[in-house]
Amino acid sequence: MVCFSSQSQFRVLLVLVYAITIHKGVCSTNVKLSCNEKDRSPLLLFKHSVKDHSNKLSSWSSGEDCCAWKGVLCDNTTGRVTRLDLNQQYLEGEINLSLLQIEFLTYLDLSMNDFTALIHPPLSTAHFNLSYLEYLDLSFNEDLHFNNLQWLSQLPPSLKCLNLSEINLENETNWLQTMAMHHPSLLELRLASCGLVNMSPFVKFVNFTSLLTLDLSGNYFDSELPYWLFNVSSDIFHIDLSFNNLKGRIPKSLLNLRNLESLRLSNNELTGPIPDWLGEHERLQHLVLSENLFNGPFPSTLGNLSSLTELGVSSGFLSGNLTDTIGQLSNLRTLFIGGSLSSVLSEKHFSKLFNLESLVLNSGFSFDIDPKWIPPFQLREVSLKNTNLGPTFPEWLYTQTTLEALDTSFSKLSSINADKFWSFVAKIRAINLSFNAISADLSNVTLESEYAILACNNFRGTLPRISSNVFMINMANNSLSGPISPFLCHKSGKKSALGYLDISINSLSGVIPNCWENWRSLTFLFIGNNRLEGEIPPSIELLNEIIVMDFNKNNLSGEFSLDLSNMKSLVFINLGHNSFSGVVPTKMPESMQVMILRSNQFSSNIPQQLCSLPSLIQLDLSQNKLVGSIPPCVCNVSSMDGERRIRHFRFTFDLFWKGRELGYRDIGLLRNLDLSSNNLSGEIPTELFGLTQLLFLNLSRNHLKGKIPIKIGGMKNLESLDLSNNHLSGTIPRTISNLTFLSYLNLSYNDFSGEIPLGTQLESFDAWSYVGNPKLCGLPLPKNCSNTHQRVGSGANNSQNESLYLGMVGGFVVGLWGVWGSLFINRAWRHKYFLMLNHVADWLYEVIVLKINHFSRVRASAR
Ligand SMILES: *[C@@H]1O[C@H](CO)[C@@H](O)[C@H](O)[C@H]1NC(C)=O
Ligand SMILES: *[C@@H]1O[C@H](CO)[C@@H](O)[C@H](O)[C@H]1NC(C)=O
Ligand SMILES: *[C@@H]1O[C@H](CO)[C@@H](O)[C@H](O)[C@H]1NC(C)=O
Ligand SMILES: *[C@@H]1O[C@H](CO)[C@@H](O)[C@H](O)[C@H]1NC(C)=O
Ligand SMILES: *[C@@H]1O[C@H](CO)[C@@H](O)[C@H](O)[C@H]1NC(C)=O
Ligand SMILES: *[C@@H]1O[C@H](CO)[C@@H](O)[C@H](O)[C@H]1NC(C)=O
Ligand SMILES: *[C@@H]1O[C@H](CO)[C@@H](O)[C@H](O)[C@H]1NC(C)=O
Ligand SMILES: *[C@@H]1O[C@H](CO)[C@@H](O)[C@H](O)[C@H]1NC(C)=O
Ligand SMILES: *[C@@H]1O[C@H](CO)[C@@H](O)[C@H](O)[C@H]1NC(C)=O
Ligand SMILES: *[C@@H]1O[C@H](CO)[C@@H](O)[C@H](O)[C@H]1NC(C)=O
Ligand SMILES: *[C@@H]1O[C@H](CO)[C@@H](O)[C@H](O)[C@H]1NC(C)=O
């Protein structure tokens, strides 16, 4: 199954919409005249420690009136500097807090830059002499981190808004107390995604009596909702605790916070029923409880929240029907219901949703809707994933003429009205129709959506045409047939934007035409599992943005003499299960990490050039006709050994965000070498057993000679070792019992002698790990060490692990960031928010895991 669903495009759009409407702070001041000397010098001192590569501070020269400098605002009567706003100016270097000597500074915004450190005077030298600072925003300086927040004590108690989001505060356990002690009059506090752990859940009271906004989303809080929160300030109207690990129920004391307008608790582990009394919070405009563990029914009282503009509820444990009172929420713009509800929805559920823009119903709903129904809304995005929408694509969706995203994956669709359908979806930016059973001929269709996921259906005919603005297309696992040349060689006149093409698992045939010059922006190419034949044409060399190329399982042939060394981003190539012959390709870029050439007709030596690929972490040359010996230089592939981490891209930590399991492991430690089933001969270079980072080593079914050296005991990460069917001899060294992660061992059919070593790890292996070595004795073989009886065991079963393919995950991650990169032109959007990251990441995970499964199945079936 190579198909995946992609709710995330959808979400991305959804989130982009949010991102544009970011909450406006209540704290702001304005104004301007000519500069006071007292203010100019602290500004220049500040500039001194800033690295300004983009020359954003060019106006900051000593000659000019500092009130006219970029980002500086002065009071128009006194000429004193009151505001400094250098938000998103690509500034690097250090923030020298001596800036706070500017006496009348009220507003300081240095957010979304690349500052790496904060310099503050020693804590003992008391406070700055200023008393007006009200607004401090250092958020989204990702490389900034503080061991503690003691320096906040140097800021005046007048501080009203503090934003340190995305700054690493993982070692600050006392943040709440520090904050409350020094800054009790805060109105807005944002510490989103700061790595905070402790929320002091049992503290009853915190001195934030004026707090209006509290954003603690994206931290690691794993307690129940803290007592102090419900006692904090009766004026508080905005609480965001989403994306934590909060547990327990929503306590009734939430009702104390009568002025609450926005409550975001999504993506936690909250349990219990969704309280009925939430319906009493009549001022609520945003109620986002999605992705929790709530059980019980969907409370009908939520239909009383007539001010709601956003409602999100999802949990896999909800039961019963979705109340039709939600149809009364006439201000609703966003509705997200997901999980395990399963009622029949009728027009009544939507009757007054005049303002609805985003509709996400991802639960087993059925629809009892008149085909002539005209909905009261015009949606921007709709996701009906996992509903029982089918069998026919519903008529009412055609009335939605402003759609930008449509997700009807997994929704039991099997038929579409082709006349209407394709022109309807042509206007939608992102469509996901995957995992249905839609049967339609695509031969005469032109796809125009930027993101089109049609995978896992019954689409047939030839490949559709695509317009030049299509960016991602996934048609994997359908029944498409015919040649691919009309598709690839069609000239649309405009430069194609296509970055992602997956047409794998179809019945496409013919040669791969020499038309790749049309597709230069491709980064991901999956055309495996088809019936393509002939050589890979030379124009493929023009794909210099490519990251992943998968030609696996076709009938491709010829000597692979292409020069891929200009593909500076290529990390993954799979040529496996074809009929390529001749010399193992060596003209590969230094970026290459995973090379799979298994099951072809390559008949050369193992070329020395492979040893000079510095990033290689996985090399699979098995099932070819390779001859000669294993070049000892294989052991010098720098990434094959050593602890060196391969850093590809700066977003790594985002994907590790919240420690989620995202399928991305430290690829710097993933290693696989498979040279099995060839005609390799000579001795195994003993250096090979010095590759302490290797996880998988398979040299089976060759004519290799030599001994297993004692130093194999140092291969501390080895999980799978297959040396079977060779001519290896000597004793099995005792140190092999040091390999604590070894879960697969096959030494059968060699010429080993002596006693099988004992050891905890080794006890789990059966006789078949050792059979076919007549001179070997001792358990688990039936032959004890004074007897020569021998029994033939069963062949080795392939237990190659899926994690084998995790090596390529890095590649996908890099690539998809490339892919998504275009959506993140605005750096602020990239940060805003984890929500988006998370969904992109989930999506990555789906792609990756499903691809991995696919590859490992291929491997298994090759045995
Ligand atoms: C930081 O928080 C303040 C106050 O809530 C807000 O106005 C501002 O937009 C936030 N900054 C960023 C970069 O999100
Ligand atoms: C000074 O600023 C105040 C308020 O910001 C404004 O009302 C006034 O018109 C300004 N005066 C001048 C001379 O610009
Ligand atoms: C920060 O500014 C002060 C002047 O206010 C100066 O004395 C100090 O050396 C500066 N620190 C650094 C590291 O530049
Ligand atoms: C510091 O504050 C005191 C009074 O609060 C004032 O007299 C003095 O001028 C200030 N010093 C500076 C350097 O601003
Ligand atoms: C937290 O403390 C650990 C151990 O002292 C240190 O390695 C780490 O860098 C600190 N983190 C931050 C963000 O300062
Ligand atoms: C809360 O802050 C106020 C004003 O700063 C102060 O008077 C009061 O004592 C503080 N209360 C507690 C419990 O810390
Ligand atoms: C609120 O704070 C007071 C102390 O000021 C405490 O007695 C009370 O129990 C707190 N309420 C809750 C719900 O924690
Ligand atoms: C709230 O909703 C419930 C059930 O939908 C209803 O019985 C009740 O009258 C409503 N309360 C108000 C104040 O509208
Ligand atoms: C849900 O609605 C159906 C009719 O649509 C009804 O038969 C069923 O009893 C309802 N279930 C609950 C738990 O109310
Ligand atoms: C595609 O269009 C051509 C020419 O208009 C027509 O002959 C053919 O039958 C169409 N094929 C399908 C599958 O609709
Ligand atoms: C095997 O492990 C033992 C201790 O567990 C260690 O002393 C020995 O050096 C190891 N041998 C090798 C070859 O690493």
Side-chain angles (χ1 to χ4, degrees):
M1 177 174 77
V2 78
C3 312
F4 55 85
S5 60
S6 177
Q7 188 185 10
S8 60
Q9 276 84 347
F10 179 76
R11 288 300 175 73
V12 166
L13 290 177
L14 196 75
V15 171
L16 289 180
V17 174
Y18 290 151
I20 303 165
T21 58
I22 310 164
H23 353 267
K24 294 186 185 68
V26 292
C27 308
S28 57
T29 49
N30 42 347
V31 202
K32 117 169 204 120
L33 188 89
S34 103
C35 177
N36 188 305
E37 187 54 37
K38 278 188 193 157
D39 299 338
R40 189 204 315 268
S41 53
L43 286 173
L44 287 175
L45 274 169
F46 165 76
K47 188 191 176 189
H48 190 70
S49 51
V50 172
K51 290 192 194 120
D52 178 21
H53 297 302
S54 340
N55 235 359
K56 297 285 185 184
L57 302 185
S58 55
S59 60
W60 286 41
S61 60
S62 41
E64 282 185 56
D65 173 11
C66 74
C67 292
W69 292 357
K70 180 171 201 138
V72 178
L73 260 180
C74 294
D75 183 280
N76 63 5
T77 54
T78 64
R80 298 300 298 263
V81 173
T82 56
R83 280 171 73 108
L84 181 56
D85 183 354
L86 294 173
N87 164 302
Q88 207 174 3
Q89 299 297 324
Y90 308 95
L91 303 176
E92 294 172 34
E94 297 164 336
I95 302 171
N96 191 337
L97 271 193
S98 66
L99 200 54
L100 298 183
Q101 282 163 354
I102 301 174
E103 210 179 332
F104 295 97
L105 192 69
T106 57
Y107 183 103
L108 177 56
D109 184 354
L110 301 175
S111 63
M112 296 199 271
N113 284 294
D114 293 305
F115 286 112
T116 49
L118 180 87
I119 306 165
H120 55 82
L123 289 170
S124 52
T125 64
H127 300 233
F128 289 101
N129 206 6
L130 77 171
S131 53
Y132 299 101
L133 191 71
E134 293 185 345
Y135 184 104
L136 178 61
D137 188 353
L138 303 179
S139 62
F140 298 100
N141 280 284
E142 294 162 12
D143 297 328
L144 215 51
H145 59 90
F146 306 131
N147 254 317
N148 62 59
L149 291 173
Q150 285 305 323
W151 59 274
L152 283 177
S153 66
Q154 297 176 312
L155 303 183
S158 58
L159 197 67
K160 295 208 160 36
C161 293
L162 179 64
N163 192 342
L164 302 178
S165 294
E166 285 272 339
I167 294 178
N168 190 340
L169 303 175
E170 62 185 1
N171 293 338
E172 168 57 87
T173 50
N174 230 17
W175 61 274
L176 184 64
Q177 286 79 0
T178 307
M179 241 18 121
M181 183 188 307
H182 299 298
H183 302 290
S185 44
L186 275 177
L187 302 180
E188 302 199 13
L189 176 60
R190 291 186 193 269
L191 297 173
S193 213
C194 290
L196 296 171
V197 196
N198 178 10
M199 208 179 179
S200 307
F202 302 114
V203 169
K204 287 257 185 331
F205 179 74
V206 170
N207 203 2
F208 284 139
T209 46
S210 321
L211 204 63
L212 301 177
T213 289
L214 179 65
D215 181 356
L216 297 172
S217 58
N219 285 294
Y220 299 96
F221 302 129
D222 60 0
S223 59
E224 301 201 345
L225 289 165
Y227 292 125
W228 58 263
L229 183 66
F230 306 105
N231 219 349
V232 68
S233 144
S234 53
D235 294 332
I236 196 163
F237 73 95
H238 177 94
I239 294 178
D240 191 346
L241 291 172
S242 52
F243 293 95
N244 279 289
N245 302 318
L246 293 166
K247 302 194 168 54
R249 296 167 175 241
I250 301 181
K252 198 158 185 185
S253 38
L254 186 69
L255 281 176
N256 297 348
L257 309 177
R258 299 291 342 173
N259 291 312
L260 215 51
E261 286 178 10
S262 168
L263 178 64
R264 296 178 189 274
L265 298 174
S266 69
N267 297 74
N268 278 293
E269 293 162 21
L270 298 171
T271 50
I274 295 174
D276 274 334
W277 46 258
L278 277 175
E280 295 171 37
H281 256 297
E282 52 196 26
R283 296 191 178 198
L284 272 180
Q285 294 173 16
H286 304 269
L287 179 61
V288 187
L289 306 175
S290 40
E291 304 295 309
N292 275 290
L293 307 175
F294 296 120
N295 58 23
F298 183 97
S300 62
T301 54
L302 296 189
N304 291 351
L305 294 171
S306 55
S307 307
L308 274 188
T309 59
E310 181 181 15
L311 174 62
V313 175
S314 70
S315 158
F317 304 100
L318 295 174
S319 54
N321 289 338
L322 179 64
T323 169
D324 58 20
T325 58
I326 58 161
Q328 302 300 310
L329 299 174
S330 57
N331 288 308
L332 213 55
R333 290 175 189 278
T334 300
L335 176 62
F336 170 29
I337 311 272
S340 49
L341 295 167
S342 61
S343 45
V344 177
L345 304 186
S346 65
E347 291 92 336
K348 212 173 164 201
H349 287 88
F350 308 102
S351 56
K352 294 195 176 150
L353 304 184
F354 310 111
N355 290 302
L356 200 64
E357 291 173 355
S358 300
L359 175 63
V360 181
L361 298 172
N362 294 341
S363 187
F365 297 122
S366 305
F367 296 84
D368 176 20
I369 285 179
D370 185 329
K372 300 207 172 67
W373 180 54
I374 312 274
F377 44 72
Q378 277 294 335
L379 299 174
R380 273 215 268 197
E381 53 262 309
V382 59
S383 170
L384 302 171
K385 183 180 173 180
N386 289 325
T387 60
N388 297 306
L389 193 62
T392 309
F393 190 82
E395 287 294 319
W396 66 266
L397 277 172
Y398 290 116
T399 66
Q400 301 300 300
T401 53
T402 54
L403 274 184
E404 290 178 21
L406 167 74
D407 184 350
T408 56
S409 59
F410 294 96
S411 61
K412 304 194 170 63
L413 291 171
S414 55
S415 74
I416 51 173
N417 175 348
D419 292 338
K420 250 172 153 173
F421 185 80
W422 297 112
S423 58
F424 170 66
V425 297
K427 297 185 214 99
I428 306 176
R429 278 187 68 193
I431 58 171
N432 185 353
L433 308 174
S434 62
F435 290 95
N436 284 294
I438 304 172
S439 177
D441 192 309
L442 295 186
S443 308
N444 285 349
V445 169
T446 300
L447 293 174
E448 305 198 26
S449 305
E450 280 167 65
Y451 303 86
I453 303 174
L454 312 183
C456 297
N457 277 289
N458 294 329
F459 290 116
R460 44 174 215 280
T462 56
L463 289 173
R465 261 198 296 280
I466 63 171
S467 75
S468 58
N469 57 327
V470 174
F471 179 72
M472 169 183 186
I473 188 160
N474 184 346
M475 298 185 280
N477 212 339
N478 279 291
S479 308
L480 299 168
S481 58
I484 63 173
S485 34
F487 174 85
L488 283 178
C489 302
H490 174 77
K491 284 233 180 352
S492 72
K494 275 216 232 131
K495 224 176 120 219
S496 160
L498 195 68
Y500 186 111
L501 175 63
D502 189 344
I503 50 175
S504 60
I505 321 187
N506 279 291
S507 303
L508 301 165
S509 56
V511 298
I512 301 177
N514 195 21
C515 293
W516 294 100
E517 73 274 8
N518 301 341
W519 307 96
R520 285 175 191 249
S521 48
L522 266 181
T523 50
F524 286 77
L525 175 61
F526 300 97
I527 60 178
N529 278 269
N530 278 294
R531 299 189 197 133
L532 301 171
E533 57 197 32
E535 301 196 11
I536 297 180
S539 62
I540 200 114
E541 292 174 4
L542 300 173
L543 301 181
N544 49 18
E545 308 270 306
I546 197 95
I547 294 165
V548 170
M549 282 203 284
D550 183 3
F551 298 94
N552 181 49
K553 282 206 159 177
N554 278 293
N555 301 324
L556 301 170
S557 58
E559 300 199 356
F560 191 98
S561 53
L562 297 168
D563 183 353
L564 307 186
S565 50
N566 281 328
M567 298 179 170
K568 299 272 186 256
S569 308
L570 186 63
V571 297
F572 178 96
I573 189 167
N574 189 345
L575 301 175
H577 300 275
N578 280 291
S579 302
F580 292 110
S581 55
V583 180
V584 170
T586 54
K587 290 175 192 143
M588 295 289 168
E590 295 201 337
S591 53
M592 183 64 77
Q593 295 174 12
V594 179
M595 268 179 80
I596 301 176
L597 308 182
R598 69 183 292 121
S599 200
N600 275 290
Q601 310 288 325
F602 289 114
S603 57
S604 64
N605 293 339
I606 297 177
Q608 303 255 354
Q609 288 94 318
L610 291 183
C611 306
S612 53
L613 293 175
S615 307
L616 202 61
I617 54 176
Q618 194 181 136
L619 179 60
D620 184 347
L621 301 176
S622 68
Q623 297 175 41
N624 278 289
K625 296 176 175 165
L626 302 177
V627 295
S629 55
I630 301 173
C633 72
V634 165
C635 317
N636 301 340
V637 175
S638 46
S639 58
M640 277 279 185
D641 196 11
E643 308 277 354
R644 195 168 74 90
R645 281 161 147 247
I646 300 166
R647 281 257 163 263
H648 321 262
F649 69 113
R650 52 177 310 190
F651 304 122
T652 317
F653 79 99
D654 284 341
L655 289 169
F656 273 122
W657 181 75
K658 221 185 137 183
R660 290 254 160 119
E661 189 66 60
L662 294 173
Y664 181 94
R665 280 167 58 182
D666 181 356
I667 63 151
L669 295 173
L670 282 167
R671 317 289 183 218
N672 170 38
L673 180 61
D674 190 343
L675 306 176
S676 63
S677 301
N678 278 293
N679 294 324
L680 298 171
S681 56
E683 301 230 344
I684 300 179
T686 60
E687 295 92 329
L688 208 54
F689 296 98
L691 294 176
T692 55
Q693 302 302 315
L694 212 58
L695 295 191
F696 302 91
L697 177 60
N698 189 349
L699 305 177
S700 65
R701 290 167 210 273
N702 279 294
H703 311 291
L704 297 165
K705 288 186 305 205
K707 298 186 164 60
I708 303 180
I710 291 174
K711 74 173 173 189
I712 192 173
M715 299 178 80
K716 52 184 194 272
N717 293 302
L718 203 61
E719 290 177 22
S720 169
L721 176 64
D722 190 347
L723 303 176
S724 63
N725 290 282
N726 277 295
H727 309 303
L728 302 174
S729 58
T731 55
I732 301 171
R734 256 165 230 297
T735 52
I736 205 165
S737 65
N738 271 21
L739 305 180
T740 42
F741 294 112
L742 199 64
S743 57
Y744 179 86
L745 175 69
N746 192 350
L747 302 177
S748 63
Y749 300 100
N750 275 291
D751 198 18
F752 290 117
S753 56
E755 191 167 358
I756 295 171
L758 291 174
T760 16
Q761 189 57 31
L762 299 181
E763 273 164 22
S764 55
F765 302 119
D766 293 329
W768 61 258
S769 291
Y770 305 102
V771 295
N773 290 284
K775 292 181 233 155
L776 211 52
C777 63
L779 288 172
L781 289 177
K783 177 181 137 179
N784 69 32
C785 285
S786 56
N787 164 334
T788 52
H789 174 73
Q790 184 215 332
R791 193 181 64 177
V792 177
S794 59
N797 197 10
N798 179 10
S799 72
Q800 297 280 11
N801 192 309
E802 280 172 11
S803 62
L804 208 83
Y805 286 94
L806 283 176
M808 65 194 234
V809 169
F812 278 107
V813 173
V814 186
L816 283 158
W817 271 111
V819 170
W820 291 106
S822 65
L823 277 174
F824 299 116
I825 300 158
N826 182 334
R827 190 157 177 249
W829 287 5
R830 175 161 68 76
H831 296 301
K832 297 242 174 230
Y833 270 114
F834 345 97
L835 187 64
M836 166 157 52
L837 277 179
N838 212 46
H839 285 293
V840 173
D842 282 351
W843 180 69
L844 286 174
Y845 186 65
E846 277 180 80
V847 180
I848 291 160
V849 168
L850 294 172
K851 287 281 178 196
I852 288 165
N853 286 339
H854 167 60
F855 285 120
S856 50
R857 258 206 353 269
V858 168
R859 290 182 67 87
S861 63
R863 289 270 153 171

